[in-house]
Each structure stands twice: as structure tokens, then as C-alpha cells.
Amino acid sequence: MPRPRIAEMVERISTIAARHHVTIATFGHAGDGNLHPTCIVKSRDDTDGIARAERAFADIFAAAIDLGGTITGEHGVGAAKLPYLAAQLGAQQLGLLRRLKTAFDPAGILNPGKLGS
């Protein structure tokens, strides 16, 4: 997140949490703009809470992009964020990443399933 927009993003996260009836704690690294919103659910069996959390994070990722940030920071894009990568990069850049992955890993054995391999 661009540092000047951190406060605005934290406010949006709070609004999103209320809209989806979830509890989200936000912490991170203000110096470099990395925020780590974390949703708290009752248990792994709380399927309704997990579904609400997933919908909230879809909105959080959209808000991050809208404010000029990214869906990820220093940790890279993991499996949970991969479906949202196209919204950040666009089809052309995502296609380039897939072609690069194929060029370096034609057999698709490195990190299988990522970026469409």
C-alpha cells in the first residue's frame, strides 16, 4: 500500500469487516506499506464464518488495488491470493508470467499448479 494511503486502507478494511460481519485485525509494516489484515473465525468448522471471511478478503484485495497498492507484499502470492492476481496485473502481464514460467519449466514440475502450469 502506498504509505500515504495506509490510513484510508485501514478504514476500508474496517468497513469491509462490518459489511461481512467478520472480525479483522490489521497489522503490518507502516514503513514500507505492507499491511496484514487477518480475519478471525471461531474454528475450522465455522464454514459460514470462513465463507464470509473469503468474501471480505475479495473486497480487501479489490480495495488495495483501487488505492494503488498490491494484493501482496514481501511474502509473494500464495495459493489463497492467486485467484486475485489477474485483477492486479491484467491478462497481458499474467500471460507474460505464464510464458516465462513455461520457458523455464517446460515440464511444469516446479511449483505445479501455479500460474496455470
Side-chain angles (χ1 to χ4, degrees), residues 6 21 26 31 37 51 57 61 78-79 84 87 100 109-110 113:
I6 289 174
H21 307 286
T26 303
F57 273 97
F61 298 150
Y84 303 96
L100 285 168
I109 61 172
L110 301 173

Side-chain angles (χ1 to χ4, degrees), residues 50-73:
I50 292 169
R52 286 184 282 115
E54 289 173 350
R55 289 190 297 271
F57 273 97
D59 289 353
I60 288 169
F61 298 150
I65 294 167
D66 183 53
L67 293 176
T70 65
I71 63 169
T72 187

Side-chain angles (χ1 to χ4, degrees), residues 3 6 29-34:
R3 288 186 307 260
I6 289 174
H29 317 271
D32 62 11
N34 283 322

Side-chain angles (χ1 to χ4, degrees), residues 13-37:
I13 292 169
S14 181
T15 300
I16 290 166
R19 183 170 59 244
H20 290 283
H21 307 286
V22 295
T23 300
I24 299 177
T26 303
F27 56 96
H29 317 271
D32 62 11
N34 283 322
L35 296 177
H36 301 287

